[in-house]
Amino acid sequence: MQILAEAQRRQGRTIGFVPTMGFLHEGHLTLMRSAREQCDTVVASIFVNPTQFGPDEDYERYPRDEVGDRRKCESVCVDILFIPTAIEMYHSPSAVYVIVEGVSDILEGKIRPGHFRGVATVVAKLLQIVKPHRAYFGQKDYQQCIVIKRMVSGINMDVEVNILPIVRERDGLALSSRNSYLNANERRAAPAIYRALSAAEQLVRSGEKESEKLKSAVRAVLEMEPLIAIDYVEIADHESLEPLVIINDLAVILIAVHLGRTRLIDNLLLV
Ligand code: AMP
């Protein structure tokens, strides 16, 4: 992959890169289409990264569909699909990690210790391997975007990070490979997550600025669905992810819930 990437660069071609864990959906394909529009060579990767899963998480049962994924990548004209094995990615005998302190320890990081260390490490490795000029990520994983932006600027990586909006189902559910875990009843309950985010957005539009009131409104919508168990509802600064008491600048509302055995996250920028 490095030799291929270097050859593209020597020919003066710009490389756009979309890292994924596979089981591709329209959210992933939107990132690939943007890369296709903006770059000469588009590289996508599929790698279910073991180091970002906790011991009791879904690494083993994470959905996989390499044949379908290849077809989808072809349909959006990806040039190179990079599918390394875990052994190839982590062959080194010494453990080397990239840690983005602070922002990795709150919200998702608090509930999933080590998760963002795994994410930052694998993204750093993939960027070194694929050598892209531009890399594409989804706002769906909001905190991940912040971690990656900080890593890239913090260690002066020469890559432009592009964040694209969340792609949703018609009923508002954010597309996610993990949605495939949901049974019919859970799937029917899931749009409450976006309804809850939208309720907060409406309140902000009508002048509400107090986080506590907004969070209560969000919780109230979520609690109407008995199948949903809330992990957290937080309103935070859009860059630092520090919790906000009063919303006066760009804020983001972040939600994590359990629907049965499935854990889902979503977010909305409040402007
Ligand atoms: P994943 O395969 O879940 O690791 O996701 C790979 C990339 O696709 C990440 O940058 C995600 O944020 C992004 N992504 C996942 N779901 C969506 C979505 N519904 N809309 C936009 N981007 C997404």
Side-chain angles (χ1 to χ4, degrees):
M1 184 64 240
Q2 281 175 322
I3 291 165
L4 264 175
E6 197 49 41
Q8 301 299 308
R9 283 184 162 255
R10 276 169 194 261
Q11 290 167 36
R13 294 172 67 84
T14 56
I15 302 174
F17 177 43
V18 182
T20 82
M21 298 206 299
F23 211 71
L24 301 178
H25 52 63
E26 235 354 85
H28 300 116
L29 299 187
T30 301
L31 302 181
M32 292 172 192
R33 284 192 200 100
S34 281
R36 182 71 283 164
E37 276 168 26
Q38 297 168 1
C39 308
D40 299 319
T41 299
V42 177
V43 182
S45 66
I46 297 174
F47 181 58
V48 184
N49 173 36
T51 66
Q52 72 188 67
F53 288 79
D56 299 324
E57 293 183 2
D58 56 345
Y59 175 67
E60 292 297 339
R61 68 182 188 112
Y62 195 85
R64 290 163 169 89
D65 176 20
E66 204 178 299
V67 174
D69 287 349
R70 278 173 190 274
R71 224 178 10 242
K72 286 174 192 164
C73 287
E74 277 168 19
S75 78
V76 291
C77 303
V78 165
D79 297 300
I80 299 170
L81 181 54
F82 178 53
I83 314 183
T85 63
I87 290 163
E88 283 173 312
M89 287 298 285
Y90 292 107
H91 62 83
S92 160
S94 61
V96 178
Y97 296 104
V98 177
I99 297 172
V100 179
E101 289 188 344
V103 78
S104 296
D105 304 324
I106 55 176
L107 299 161
E108 282 303 284
K110 200 163 164 187
I111 292 174
R112 307 180 68 188
H115 171 65
F116 288 118
R117 182 183 80 162
V119 169
T121 301
V122 80
V123 172
K125 287 162 77 72
L126 289 167
L127 292 174
Q128 293 297 109
I129 295 166
V130 175
K131 305 176 189 252
H133 297 83
R134 301 194 180 102
Y136 296 80
F137 300 90
Q139 188 200 316
K140 162 77 174 28
D141 300 279
Y142 194 91
Q143 191 175 2
Q144 171 173 290
C145 292
I146 302 283
V147 167
I148 289 166
K149 279 204 256 182
R150 288 204 182 179
M151 172 186 77
V152 165
S153 75
I155 56 174
N156 308 89
M157 297 180 103
D158 190 13
V159 60
E160 180 187 299
V161 174
N162 290 271
I163 311 292
L164 273 75
I166 301 174
V167 178
R168 298 180 179 282
E169 301 279 7
R170 290 165 72 106
D171 59 15
L173 177 63
L175 297 190
S176 165
S177 308
R178 289 192 168 96
N179 292 350
S180 64
Y181 297 148
L182 301 174
N183 67 30
N185 287 333
E186 291 163 349
R187 178 61 188 83
R188 269 193 291 276
I193 302 167
Y194 184 63
R195 280 204 302 280
L197 290 167
S198 304
E201 187 178 42
Q202 279 304 317
L203 282 174
V204 171
R205 288 212 176 119
S206 60
E208 183 57 66
K209 292 198 179 307
E210 283 183 44
S211 275
E212 275 313 319
K213 290 198 178 142
L214 295 167
K215 287 193 278 187
S216 301
V218 168
R219 286 177 173 276
V221 176
L222 293 173
E223 281 161 6
M224 283 194 297
E225 279 297 348
L227 290 178
I228 291 183
I230 300 172
D231 246 2
Y232 61 77
V233 173
E234 194 53 86
I235 297 183
D237 178 81
H238 75 120
E239 270 176 350
S240 70
L241 291 186
E242 291 294 330
L244 292 174
V245 178
I246 298 287
I247 296 173
N248 39 30
D249 207 350
L250 245 183
V252 59
I253 176 157
L254 302 136
I255 294 183
V257 302
H258 281 274
L259 251 170
R261 287 174 68 203
T262 306
R263 190 165 179 282
L264 298 178
I265 56 170
D266 201 347
N267 67 83
L268 192 75
L269 278 166
L270 299 168
V271 264

